[in-house]
Amino acid sequence: MRFLTALALTWTTFAAGALATPGQPTDGGLGFQPAVTPIMEQVTSFHNILLVIITAITLLVMGLLIYVMIRFNRKANPTPSKNSHNTLLEVVWTAVPVLILIGIAIPSFPLLYFQDDIPEADFTLKATGNQWNWSYEYPDHEVAEYFSNMVEEPDLQPGQLRNLSVDYPLVVPIHATVRLQVTASDVIHNWAMPAFGTKMDAIPGRINEAWFRAEQEGVYYGQCSELCGLRHAFMPIEVHVVPQDVFDAWIAAKAEDEYSEAADAIIAEYTAARETRLAQLD
């Protein structure tokens, strides 16, 4: 019964991943959110390889256990063997796991290097973790630091997500390579965006770097992934990926006033138009 349950869960994981909404949690979903960056595409591919390997190992071990329980139980084998060592068997069960680990390492090291090696960036974005919100700066665009707080449940507007939507989100252009600098002002936080494959510690007094390049327009959500105190669960991340012209207009408004209503209106207008287009396609 447990075996059938495991198979059902495995199938559901693939099905849920295929039907999940990019950038946000899906009710009843299992597995990763759909990948929208090159990093997350490779993470998903590596995960799928590991899923095959671990499934094969699980089936092999389960088969061996079933064989031993049937072949060597008291009724089938009343006179047990007194052998205590089998050199060949001991070499095999030591060498095979080592070879499996080497096989896993071959694709994992290039992925780690791909995540760590930051390509030439179009611009830099700085994220600072605070108790309990994020603040952002666009140093290349002369946008001063602004704070991004979670929208409390009583203040949610239609289309906003509970515990995920913020008042002043991040905005980045599609197909742009963004260098992300992450730090913190008080305790350790973690800037995590599942659809981007980005997860970087924010440490006081230190700047860590990561990068991403979003290849699909939309709104993407993440959260602080480090236990940072009482309201750890209430400092989400919201990123809007928009066309370059929308980003340029938003930056121009934001540079004049980091809490500009004009900047908010630009994103709201674009989001409404995009949702209308998507609804027409459906």
Side-chain angles (χ1 to χ4, degrees):
M1 191 65 187
R2 292 181 179 178
F3 172 65
L4 294 176
T5 302
L7 286 180
L9 286 174
T10 302
W11 178 86
T12 306
T13 299
F14 285 111
L19 298 175
T21 302
Q24 59 184 274
T26 302
D27 286 344
L30 295 173
F32 294 142
Q33 294 179 8
V36 296
T37 67
I39 289 177
M40 192 57 194
E41 288 175 356
Q42 292 199 26
V43 169
T44 301
S45 177
F46 182 56
H47 166 266
N48 292 340
I49 293 172
L50 292 183
L51 185 60
V52 172
I53 294 173
I54 197 170
T55 300
I57 292 172
T58 301
L59 292 175
L60 174 62
V61 172
M62 184 178 66
L64 291 174
L65 287 173
I66 292 173
Y67 173 77
V68 169
M69 288 187 291
I70 295 174
R71 175 65 181 81
F72 297 105
N73 63 55
R74 180 177 296 179
K75 183 177 180 180
N77 189 46
T79 306
S81 170
K82 298 185 181 299
N83 293 331
S84 60
H85 292 283
N86 185 310
T87 302
L88 177 60
L89 185 59
E90 292 176 358
V91 169
V92 169
W93 74 37
T94 302
V96 170
V98 171
L99 294 176
I100 292 173
L101 290 175
I102 292 174
I104 292 174
I106 290 173
S108 70
F109 285 128
L111 174 57
L112 289 172
Y113 180 79
F114 184 64
Q115 291 176 306
D116 190 58
D117 184 35
I118 300 175
E120 183 176 353
D122 294 302
F123 66 91
T124 298
L125 171 65
K126 183 179 179 182
T128 302
N130 313 290
Q131 290 184 313
W132 285 273
N133 58 34
W134 292 95
S135 60
Y136 300 111
E137 299 174 58
Y138 291 75
D140 296 338
H141 297 91
E142 299 182 353
V143 173
E145 182 180 31
Y146 67 93
F147 290 84
S148 179
N149 291 280
M150 185 189 77
V151 178
E152 299 293 340
E153 190 168 355
D155 301 324
L156 288 173
Q157 300 298 316
Q160 292 185 320
L161 303 182
R162 176 179 173 272
N163 289 349
L164 287 176
S165 293
V166 301
D167 50 3
Y168 296 102
L170 274 173
V171 179
V172 299
I174 190 171
H175 305 312
T177 300
V178 180
R179 175 188 288 109
L180 176 66
Q181 296 182 337
V182 184
T183 188
S185 62
D186 36 48
V187 299
I188 298 177
H189 300 276
N190 186 286
W191 200 92
M193 182 59 60
F196 291 2
T198 302
K199 192 173 186 292
M200 181 57 67
D201 277 341
I203 300 175
R206 175 174 177 173
I207 290 182
N208 289 329
E209 288 193 331
W211 71 280
F212 62 85
R213 183 173 63 248
E215 304 290 358
Q216 183 176 332
E217 295 177 24
V219 182
Y220 302 94
Y221 298 94
Q223 289 180 308
C224 174
S225 292
E226 189 68 52
L227 294 176
C228 58
L230 179 66
R231 287 183 58 83
H232 156 69
F234 305 105
M235 51 180 298
I237 304 160
E238 181 178 343
V239 181
H240 289 243
V241 179
V242 301
Q244 184 67 49
D245 59 335
V246 176
F247 174 76
D248 292 338
W250 181 83
I251 280 290
K254 206 74 170 173
E256 294 180 4
D257 179 3
E258 58 270 25
Y259 297 104
S260 168
E261 293 184 2
D264 296 339
I266 290 169
I267 297 303
E269 181 180 353
Y270 164 75
T271 301
R274 180 175 179 274
E275 289 177 353
T276 300
R277 292 195 305 271
L278 293 175
Q280 290 173 345
L281 291 174
D282 291 340

